[in-house]
Amino acid sequence: MVTSTETIWIEMPDGARLAARLWLPEGDGPFPTILEYIPYRRRDRTRLRDEAMHPRFAHAGYASIRVDMRGAGDSDGLMHGEYLEQEIQDGCDVIGWIRGQEWSDGQVGMFGKSWGAYSAYQVAARRPEGLRAIAPVMGTDDRWAECIHFSGGCLMSDNFWWGAIMQLFNAQPPDPAVLGDAWRETWRARLEATEFWPAEWLEHQTRDAFWQHGSVCENYADIEVPAYIFGGWADAYRNTPFRMAEHATSPVKVMIGPWGHLYPHEGAPGPQVDFPAELIRWWDHWMKARDTGLMDEPPLRLYLREATAPGDDPDPRPGRWVEEPRWPSPNVAEEIFHLNHGVLGQSPHPGPDMSVTTPTSYGASGGDFMSFATPGDLPGDARLDGAGALEFRSAPCEAALDILGQARLRLRVAADKPQAMLAALLVDEAPDGAQTVIARGFANLMHLDGPEQVTPLSPGTPVEAEILLHATGYRLPEGHRVLIKLSSAYWPILWPSPEPVRITLTPGLSQLSLPLRQAVADAPRPRALPAPDAPPQPAMTQIREGRMERGWQFDALSGKLINRTWIDGGVFGPVGRIRIDETGTELGDISERIYEIGSDPTSARAVMTQEGHFSRDDWNARIETRAEMWCDATHFYIEAGTRCFVDDALFHEKSWSHKIRRNGM
């Protein structure tokens, strides 16, 4: 029988206490321990998710603990930013505290998704005594190259959008049932200390020390414990598993499914995988010295998706699992295609220059950069963007092509402005003309000398540029074509350059390297992965059904294209308002995100408004946030504000205003 303790306190060396929830197995112990360390409120925000995993670990003979970071949930202290030194040190100190408990046998395994994956990597790199293995899910080894801030050196709108989400999360109150009368004082101190994080992120527009901190790619050898890394092809963190498999000096296993930014046992699109069961095999091997057979299997297991019509998004996604013995894999070889005049050819054929000035509206069919499996967030039919890109088509494939890994473009291009970007789409074009996006990649041409510096282009002078597309696993069917689209804008995923840019490419001088997997004769069939059991009826009551609205509108009076997403339920979709039955807490979010742009790139504007609610008996707290970002040719502008209420009376109000010089963005 598993026992659960709702709140335990973990004292840090400086006296601050972190709030945690603990599950213990039946028996006297001591037990190895599983740690999840994140800032997302164990008593409400992640409670239902936690209860689908941590009790499973306890039933398997592990103590399992879910810790709120300093300044989050009911923990003491303030949170001044993400992945700061204090946060990483606290993670190490939590492991030290666990090792001192009578129920602990001194061994700790660490796992988590997104921020929790970062935590696992960063804490492991500090080598705390007792940490035996980690299982990061959808996080990165390189905060500059692969996060929500920049991609290929281009500024992503997610820098603003996710920062606005954190604006709401950072304003959430502690729970009076845990802190008693001190909850107001604690909340006010947090609200006074909170800053608008996207402004700080935007102050660092090159790969400087800010981004190097917390990026374990700075020295892969810092991580000495084994890592089981999970990813999803619809997620933002698709490249890290391959880099870790290639460069890590400790044992690495990789599993990448078709999923968005969700744990594999709740992943969409499916097929889902019993993630807790997979982790138990992992922990049993490294902390109980049991031969589970897991380490006898090939280290990489990857889901090769079958082609589907754009916008179809079936769940589960058709495909099959394949395994690789290492990365780079001996089963994957690059095939070179030359970018000729509108054609992807087997040999180069020079021709007249091809040029395009991409309209600001190009990218409207792109969905979101990172899928949370909410309706409409995956890319649609790329034909919907119409003209706006240089296009290069292969001949129809004579046999199916299995694309696995990262495609690479080596380009010789010129721009007519000193500042320019490139967006590249790798597309499956069906015989009927439908265009399904397979992978995307971006490049800021002012970073040709490296991401640490900005070098203006000489207008009209050709340069050599490289775009490493995001990793993918995809089967291109017989009769379909490989299509490359190159554009100088991709709104709203990328913030536009300050001026319209004309890109010119000379055919025959550029190449696409496509990673193609060859079938392995007599390869054993991968072990069948158990599907998760049907989830237990959640211990919650639906107070208000969720819904969402998503769409584009062209305003003929202003000439602006407006993208709007409205969700009753927040970032993870239309969940509405719920009550957690065990604690009686009601909670819910409502958010509206608007991106708009006219024909001038400096007309780009992003607006995010949100409401968050927490209530129970005589506790009623509400948060309202607004954030807005716009630009001119030389600066970005950000204004944001947060208002918090108790029983509909204003409790606290704070606003921010920032003017930040553009630095190659």
Side-chain angles (χ1 to χ4, degrees):
M1 176 181 177
V2 170
T3 60
S4 171
T5 303
E6 180 70 23
T7 300
I8 62 171
W9 296 103
I10 303 174
E11 187 166 341
M12 298 289 96
D14 64 356
R17 300 186 309 163
L18 305 189
R21 191 177 180 194
L22 175 67
W23 292 261
L24 289 176
E26 187 175 9
D28 296 329
F31 311 105
T33 302
I34 310 303
L35 166 64
E36 185 181 15
Y37 172 63
I38 52 176
Y40 297 130
R41 300 178 62 91
R42 79 208 183 285
R43 275 191 44 95
D44 39 55
R45 287 287 183 184
T46 66
R47 187 182 189 91
L48 301 179
R49 186 182 81 180
D50 295 345
E51 290 177 347
M53 296 185 291
H54 290 275
R56 290 275 304 276
F57 300 146
H59 278 294
Y62 294 90
S64 199
I65 188 167
R66 163 66 178 84
V67 181
D68 280 341
M69 289 176 173
R70 183 185 295 247
D74 302 312
S75 294
D76 292 347
L78 304 172
M79 180 171 280
H80 296 290
E82 55 180 10
Y83 323 129
L84 301 184
E85 181 62 31
Q86 182 69 66
E87 173 191 316
I88 300 171
Q89 184 57 52
D90 282 350
C92 296
D93 291 335
V94 166
I95 290 174
W97 179 89
I98 289 171
R99 286 168 51 79
Q101 304 308 300
E102 61 180 10
W103 40 261
S104 168
D105 73 355
Q107 299 184 94
V108 178
M110 195 170 181
F111 85 104
K113 179 177 72 71
S114 197
W115 198 315
Y118 282 78
S119 298
Y121 284 129
Q122 292 163 358
V123 169
R126 300 299 175 89
R127 305 176 186 174
E129 186 176 356
L131 184 63
R132 295 289 181 260
I134 60 174
V137 181
M138 300 178 188
T140 190
D141 62 335
D142 190 333
R143 294 180 57 211
W144 167 263
E146 192 177 24
C147 194
I148 50 84
H149 310 290
F150 300 91
S151 183
C154 302
L155 174 62
M156 301 179 65
S157 60
D158 280 14
N159 184 80
F160 168 83
W161 169 72
W162 184 253
I165 294 292
M166 290 308 303
Q167 177 190 7
L168 177 67
F169 284 7
N170 289 338
Q172 293 171 145
D175 194 325
V178 177
L179 267 63
D181 292 340
W183 79 275
R184 291 171 181 262
E185 179 183 350
T186 301
W187 192 21
R188 190 181 300 278
R190 290 182 184 177
L191 294 170
E192 288 289 342
T194 298
E195 298 297 336
F196 190 65
W197 291 0
E200 179 185 33
W201 300 336
L202 196 52
E203 292 280 1
H204 300 272
Q205 297 174 39
T206 60
R207 194 181 191 279
D208 58 12
F210 181 85
W211 303 112
Q212 292 165 9
H213 170 78
S215 294
V216 298
C217 66
E218 293 295 302
N219 185 10
Y220 287 106
D222 283 343
I223 297 180
E224 295 182 337
V225 297
Y228 197 169
I229 301 167
F230 294 81
W233 297 131
D235 184 51
Y237 304 105
R238 291 156 284 195
N239 305 334
T240 288
F242 292 99
R243 288 195 296 264
M244 288 292 295
E246 181 175 358
H247 299 296
T249 57
S250 58
V252 166
K253 280 190 70 70
V254 168
M255 181 185 293
I256 304 180
W259 317 300
H261 197 65
L262 300 165
Y263 274 115
H265 60 285
E266 57 188 14
Q272 297 174 339
V273 169
D274 192 341
F275 172 74
E278 193 72 3
L279 280 202
I280 289 167
R281 297 180 76 216
W282 176 249
W283 306 130
D284 281 356
H285 179 92
W286 293 109
M287 292 195 285
K288 292 186 177 180
R290 291 180 178 169
D291 184 5
T292 64
L294 188 65
M295 300 307 292
D296 297 328
E297 300 169 5
L300 290 92
R301 174 188 281 256
L302 312 163
Y303 195 75
L304 205 61
R305 298 167 295 162
E306 298 285 350
T308 58
D312 187 12
D313 304 333
D315 189 6
R317 177 69 184 257
R320 73 185 194 279
W321 291 102
V322 298
E323 294 177 324
E324 300 299 336
R326 59 184 178 274
W327 199 262
S329 171
N331 304 322
V332 176
E334 289 190 344
E335 182 167 339
I336 302 299
F337 293 85
H338 297 268
L339 277 62
N340 297 324
H341 202 279
V343 173
L344 288 176
Q346 299 296 321
S347 57
H349 293 287
D353 286 351
M354 301 175 65
S355 297
V356 68
T357 302
T358 302
T360 55
S361 60
Y362 185 83
S365 70
D368 291 339
F369 179 69
M370 175 168 63
S371 170
F372 282 85
T374 59
D377 69 2
L378 292 172
D381 193 325
R383 291 179 298 179
L384 297 177
D385 279 321
L390 300 178
E391 296 187 347
F392 305 87
R393 286 175 172 79
S394 73
C397 296
E398 296 179 357
L401 301 180
D402 288 345
I403 303 169
L404 186 62
Q406 289 185 263
R408 185 185 305 266
L409 283 163
R410 295 180 175 89
L411 303 172
R412 183 171 174 82
V413 295
D416 68 343
K417 300 294 192 302
Q419 181 171 334
M421 70 170 75
L422 286 176
L425 306 185
L426 174 64
V427 174
D428 167 6
E429 186 173 64
D432 65 0
Q435 295 179 359
T436 300
V437 175
I438 302 172
R440 302 181 277 207
F442 314 119
N444 184 339
L445 297 184
M446 295 189 79
H447 288 184
L448 294 180
D449 293 331
E452 299 81 13
Q453 57 190 311
V454 171
T455 306
L457 298 169
S458 176
T461 301
V463 296
E464 306 292 332
E466 181 174 278
I467 304 178
L468 190 61
L469 278 70
H470 307 126
T472 191
Y474 189 90
R475 166 161 278 204
L476 191 82
E478 178 183 349
H480 288 221
R481 299 175 188 263
V482 178
L483 171 63
I484 289 291
K485 290 173 171 267
L486 285 177
S487 63
S488 58
Y490 197 58
W491 173 262
I493 286 178
L494 300 182
W495 202 269
S497 300
E499 301 178 272
V501 177
R502 185 172 183 82
I503 295 291
T504 299
L505 180 145
T506 300
L509 302 180
S510 301
Q511 295 180 350
L512 165 68
S513 297
L514 199 62
L516 298 182
R517 182 180 190 270
Q518 307 302 315
V520 182
D522 301 323
R525 184 185 295 263
R527 167 179 59 92
L529 292 170
D533 293 335
Q537 193 69 23
M540 54 160 276
T541 300
Q542 194 77 42
I543 303 300
R544 182 184 68 238
E545 293 293 331
R547 63 185 183 90
M548 70 177 295
E549 301 169 5
R550 185 193 291 266
W552 285 91
Q553 174 189 352
F554 178 70
D555 186 331
L557 296 180
S558 67
K560 290 183 177 180
L561 188 66
I562 301 167
N563 173 296
R564 176 178 178 268
T565 301
W566 182 93
I567 305 178
D568 183 351
V571 65
F572 287 102
V575 298
R577 186 178 176 99
I578 66 169
R579 180 174 63 242
I580 297 173
D581 295 339
E582 193 170 3
T583 65
T585 303
E586 291 188 17
L587 66 153
D589 296 339
I590 296 177
S591 68
E592 183 180 57
R593 181 181 70 197
I594 295 175
Y595 298 125
E596 64 178 38
I597 197 165
S599 59
D600 183 347
T602 61
S603 65
R605 183 177 295 263
V607 181
M608 184 85 170
T609 56
Q610 301 170 97
E611 289 186 14
H613 300 260
F614 295 86
S615 64
R616 183 184 58 242
D617 300 330
D618 58 352
W619 178 42
N620 183 20
R622 186 175 87 253
I623 306 157
E624 297 177 355
T625 72
R626 178 178 174 84
E628 189 168 359
M629 177 175 168
W630 68 100
C631 67
D632 57 27
T634 59
H635 289 82
F636 295 109
Y637 301 88
I638 291 176
E639 289 187 356
T642 299
R643 293 173 11 121
C644 298
F645 300 82
V646 177
D647 296 328
D648 294 323
L650 183 64
F651 175 77
H652 187 273
E653 184 172 11
K654 188 172 184 178
S655 61
W656 303 269
S657 181
H658 296 273
K659 179 181 179 181
I660 300 168
R661 180 168 290 278
R662 300 177 80 138
N663 184 23
M665 292 294 156

